[in-house]
Amino acid sequence: MVKNIALHIVFLLLSVQLFGQNEFVELDINPKDVEIGQSVTITIKTNVDGDLDMSLPDEFIQSGAMQTGMSSSIEYVNGRQKAIRYNYRTFTGYFEDVGTYLMGPVKVITRTKEYLSEEFKVRVTNRQNMMSDDPSKNLNKMVFGIIQKSKKEIYEGEPLVVEGKVYSQVEILQVEDYSSFTFDGPAETKSLVASNQVSSAYEVINGKNLQTFKIGKTLIFPERIGDYSIKPFQTIIVYNDRRRIFPERLKVVSNQANVVVKPLPAGTPKHFIDAVGEFNVSANIANRYIDQGKVIELKLKISGSGNLHNIEQPTIQLPRGLSFYGDPEVVDSIRFSSQGAEGSKSYTYFIQVNRSGEVQLNPIKIAYFNPKTEEYVTVQSRLKTIHVKSTGLEEPEELEEEKKEVRDPVMQPYITEYLPGGSAPIDLFTGWGGAFLLCSPIMFGLVLGLLVRVKNNSAENTLAKQQRIQHKTDALYELSLLSDDQNNETRIDQLSQIMVRFLAKQFKVSNGEITRMFLKTKTPGELSEETYASIIAIFDEIDATKYGGQIENSDVNHLVREAEQIINSFE
């Protein structure tokens, strides 16, 4: 069931000439992942003069005043700036039930045509049980702020939800200059709500009616165990003082909160992939009927919520006669919400089958830690049998020969026995016997083999050094190809791929194994702390740019320069 909000409004063009513009109707929903009671802002933009209608779910409860007006934006058409004028209508609301709701489309109906916008889905989840200090102890202040957090203690890898809440005994008219709280330690942070979006309500505390609003909801992934503090947030409010003619301004500084990050319990299972949360795994083979020597695709998908973006690539053991063909392809479909990083991470493995007959792959297993039950969980996905048609070129089965100790009867006394009477053992390199041994073909072969081995090691080291230099050259060349003419989303994606490929080649692993947890395990000899911090910082900024909603307004050039510095820091 949906309801038609009484929005049958005729947009007045306020005498502004809109001729020459392409007609459009746009619907914007922000945010699309919310909790029960969290404010949702709906904005409609159009330059079409007609009757407007919009379908909204019955569960949507409109709140606050509706704002209308006229605005403009600049677009580039054939390299020239063009002003696009439009009317807009903005209103807010919230949901009180969990579920996924369809919003839109918006219709603008004229005498001759009907214009439609896109439609969007809004996902509503249960609200986190936010734990805060007792606000009743702060009623001696006219306005005060408190930091709320989802938990006081979390496990390493577990997401922490932090949000600011302001309590006021006076009427707040406006919120300005918000400065977010900060986590006093190494961590990834993801903003869940724009700082200019606040949801206002009223609460009765100790018999007093207080106006409240929440601000700056943030997701934090601490990277190390320990006791940490969350530094206060600050904001400026404009409030109505009945004793004065004009509104007053006031700076609000919140309290400081604390959180404990605990290590994961002992007893890590074999297939643990550094995952903390709740996850599942599914796997399948694209083509199970193939000819011997062909390559099959094994598709593996890990889905769930928690620290999904930081999990390790699962380890897959192949049976005899099968081998991996190149690195797996990794595709992320991840969004950040109060549940952490949720969605899926997909891997496509390419496997060459060099044996015939019925081939059964082992089940794909992963293990994760569930912070709710405080237990490790192992899940698996079974694969169906592969049917391989023989081409007559069977791969010979490798049998490991039993190593036997061989002793030369002539040399045995010199190696294993002493002379009777407790005399010292015979020195092989004294007397005629020693001279004979030194000049023998056996000794000549040993010396020649040693020289060849030293030469080969030197050649391998030289080749490895040349490969590292080539990897740097390739990566720097790829960075130079990032064009300013490309859109920021494309440049960010390509920059991330270049960095992952370069690091994978440096550490001789597949692309999918390059994660924050993997880099964290590297010793200072393999990766210096300064370089590690720079790599994490650039990946954090890439994620913030991609998922923060400001990608089009971001400066990507400085990220490219930082990537060049990181690549050049490798020897």
Side-chain angles (χ1 to χ4, degrees):
M1 291 291 294
V2 296
K3 58 184 177 182
N4 290 326
I5 295 293
L7 295 178
H8 298 277
I9 308 295
V10 177
F11 276 112
L12 299 179
L13 300 184
L14 303 178
S15 301
V16 177
Q17 298 296 324
L18 299 181
F19 297 108
Q21 298 182 177
N22 294 327
E23 293 85 358
F24 69 89
V25 180
E26 290 182 1
L27 172 64
D28 180 66
I29 309 291
N30 190 27
K32 299 180 183 66
D33 285 291
V34 297
E35 296 176 349
I36 290 177
Q38 183 179 341
S39 179
V40 178
T41 301
I42 299 174
T43 302
I44 303 168
K45 299 177 183 179
T46 184
N47 61 354
V48 180
D49 183 11
D51 294 331
L52 184 146
D53 184 29
M54 179 180 180
S55 298
L56 291 172
D58 291 335
E59 294 81 1
F60 180 78
I61 301 174
Q62 188 173 338
S63 62
M66 184 177 293
Q67 298 179 355
T68 60
M70 193 167 197
S71 185
S72 63
S73 62
I74 301 296
E75 292 186 1
Y76 286 87
V77 180
N78 296 327
R80 296 183 178 181
Q81 292 185 353
K82 182 178 181 181
I84 304 297
R85 295 181 176 86
Y86 56 85
N87 296 279
Y88 70 86
R89 181 170 297 272
T90 299
F91 58 97
T92 60
Y94 60 92
F95 294 88
E96 291 188 332
D97 297 311
V98 173
T100 300
Y101 301 97
L102 186 65
M103 308 287 280
V106 175
K107 299 178 183 179
V108 176
I109 304 171
T110 68
R111 294 181 179 179
T112 59
K113 193 173 180 180
E114 182 179 284
Y115 298 86
L116 290 177
S117 73
E118 291 185 74
E119 57 185 19
F120 298 95
K121 290 183 179 179
V122 175
R123 191 172 67 96
V124 183
T125 58
N126 283 316
R127 190 163 185 82
Q128 287 285 315
N129 181 23
M130 306 300 286
M131 304 178 67
S132 66
D133 294 342
D134 186 359
S136 63
K137 297 180 181 180
N138 299 287
L139 294 179
N140 59 324
K141 300 178 181 178
M142 181 174 63
V143 183
F144 58 92
I146 288 178
I147 293 177
Q148 298 182 309
K149 54 186 183 294
S150 55
K151 286 186 176 182
K152 293 180 179 179
E153 294 185 351
I154 62 172
Y155 283 98
E156 183 180 12
E158 183 180 1
L160 175 72
V161 182
V162 182
E163 187 174 34
K165 188 172 184 179
V166 174
Y167 297 78
S168 175
Q169 300 186 59
V170 294
E171 182 186 6
I172 298 176
L173 303 177
Q174 190 173 338
V175 181
E176 301 175 347
D177 298 331
Y178 171 72
S179 178
S180 179
F181 37 72
T182 55
F183 186 80
D184 185 24
E188 293 180 71
T189 58
K190 310 290 182 183
S191 179
L192 297 181
V193 178
S195 61
N196 60 352
Q197 293 183 359
V198 297
S199 54
S200 179
Y202 288 89
E203 294 182 19
V204 177
I205 300 176
N206 287 0
K208 293 186 176 182
N209 192 28
L210 274 67
Q211 184 181 2
T212 68
F213 67 84
K214 297 177 180 180
I215 192 169
K217 192 170 189 178
T218 303
L219 188 64
I220 300 176
F221 292 91
E223 295 180 345
R224 295 179 186 172
I225 61 174
D227 298 347
Y228 297 98
S229 61
I230 303 174
K231 301 299 183 182
F233 69 85
Q234 300 180 18
T235 188
I236 295 176
I237 66 166
V238 179
Y239 67 95
N240 186 20
D241 190 343
R242 297 179 179 178
R243 298 168 298 179
R244 300 179 182 273
I245 299 176
F246 300 105
E248 295 289 315
R249 294 164 61 90
L250 175 68
K251 182 178 182 179
V252 180
V253 180
S254 76
N255 67 325
Q256 176 174 296
N258 299 291
V259 65
V260 178
V261 182
K262 304 181 294 185
L264 296 178
T268 305
K270 177 181 178 181
H271 301 284
F272 185 57
I273 57 172
D274 291 335
V276 179
E278 294 185 65
F279 301 92
N280 206 345
V281 62
S282 60
N284 65 81
I285 298 171
N287 185 6
R288 296 190 298 115
Y289 296 87
I290 64 169
D291 293 334
Q292 180 185 353
K294 297 294 185 180
V295 175
I296 61 172
E297 290 186 9
L298 169 60
K299 296 183 180 293
L300 186 153
K301 184 177 182 180
I302 299 173
S303 55
S305 61
N307 65 339
L308 177 63
H309 61 310
N310 281 336
I311 64 173
E312 293 285 344
Q313 178 180 320
T315 301
I316 299 177
Q317 299 293 337
L318 296 179
R320 180 187 60 82
L322 278 70
S323 60
F324 290 110
Y325 192 83
D327 294 332
E329 294 180 354
V330 184
V331 177
D332 293 344
S333 179
I334 298 173
R335 62 182 179 275
F336 293 96
S337 71
S338 58
Q339 307 300 318
E342 57 179 335
S344 64
K345 201 164 191 176
S346 300
Y347 303 85
T348 301
Y349 297 86
F350 303 95
I351 302 173
Q352 188 170 33
V353 182
N354 295 317
R355 55 182 283 194
S356 62
E358 307 292 308
V359 180
Q360 180 62 58
L361 272 68
N362 299 320
I364 307 298
K365 296 182 180 181
I366 65 166
Y368 63 90
F369 179 75
N370 189 331
K372 294 180 181 178
T373 61
E374 299 185 294
E375 294 178 341
Y376 289 102
V377 180
T378 299
V379 294
Q380 66 177 7
S381 177
R382 296 188 177 275
L383 295 168
K384 294 183 179 180
T385 303
I386 306 171
H387 305 275
V388 186
K389 183 180 179 181
S390 175
T391 58
L393 299 175
E394 296 296 329
E395 183 181 75
E397 184 174 355
E398 297 181 1
L399 297 176
E400 184 177 355
E401 296 183 1
E402 181 181 357
K403 295 182 180 179
K404 297 181 180 180
E405 182 179 2
V406 179
R407 291 190 177 185
D408 189 336
V410 177
M411 300 296 294
Q412 185 175 356
Y414 299 105
I415 300 174
T416 60
E417 298 181 1
Y418 292 97
L419 292 174
S423 302
I426 296 175
D427 192 342
L428 292 176
F429 300 100
T430 59
W432 292 103
F436 174 77
L437 181 61
L438 288 172
C439 298
S440 67
I442 296 176
M443 183 58 68
F444 178 76
L446 290 174
V447 173
L448 182 60
L450 180 61
L451 292 175
V452 172
R453 184 173 182 180
V454 170
K455 182 178 179 181
N456 290 340
N457 287 341
S458 176
E460 290 177 0
N461 291 335
T462 302
L463 179 61
K465 184 176 181 180
Q466 291 175 346
Q467 288 177 340
R468 288 195 297 270
I469 295 174
Q470 187 61 47
H471 295 160
K472 288 177 58 176
T473 303
D474 292 343
L476 293 173
Y477 176 70
E478 290 177 340
L479 286 177
S480 68
L481 295 179
L482 294 179
S483 172
D484 292 337
D485 296 334
Q486 296 172 309
N487 61 59
N488 278 0
E489 184 175 359
T490 301
R491 297 183 73 197
I492 285 290
D493 287 340
Q494 292 181 358
L495 174 60
S496 177
Q497 293 171 12
I498 292 170
M499 286 295 298
V500 169
R501 283 197 299 268
F502 171 74
L503 293 172
K505 290 177 180 178
Q506 285 294 317
F507 297 114
K508 298 180 180 179
V509 298
S510 64
N511 295 346
E513 294 182 64
I514 298 300
T515 64
R516 290 173 173 83
M517 292 299 295
F518 172 82
L519 297 174
K520 188 177 178 181
T521 61
K522 297 291 119 179
T523 63
E526 297 174 294
L527 182 66
S528 68
E529 292 187 5
E530 181 180 357
T531 304
Y532 167 78
S534 299
I535 294 172
I536 297 303
I538 194 172
F539 279 136
D540 285 346
E541 190 164 354
I542 287 173
D543 287 346
T545 303
K546 288 174 64 176
Y547 305 115
Q550 300 294 325
I551 190 168
E552 293 303 328
N553 300 322
S554 301
D555 179 19
V556 180
N557 290 327
H558 85 280
L559 290 176
V560 176
R561 291 191 294 270
E562 291 176 12
E564 290 175 348
Q565 293 176 0
I566 291 172
I567 292 171
N568 283 319
S569 68
F570 283 83
E571 296 182 355

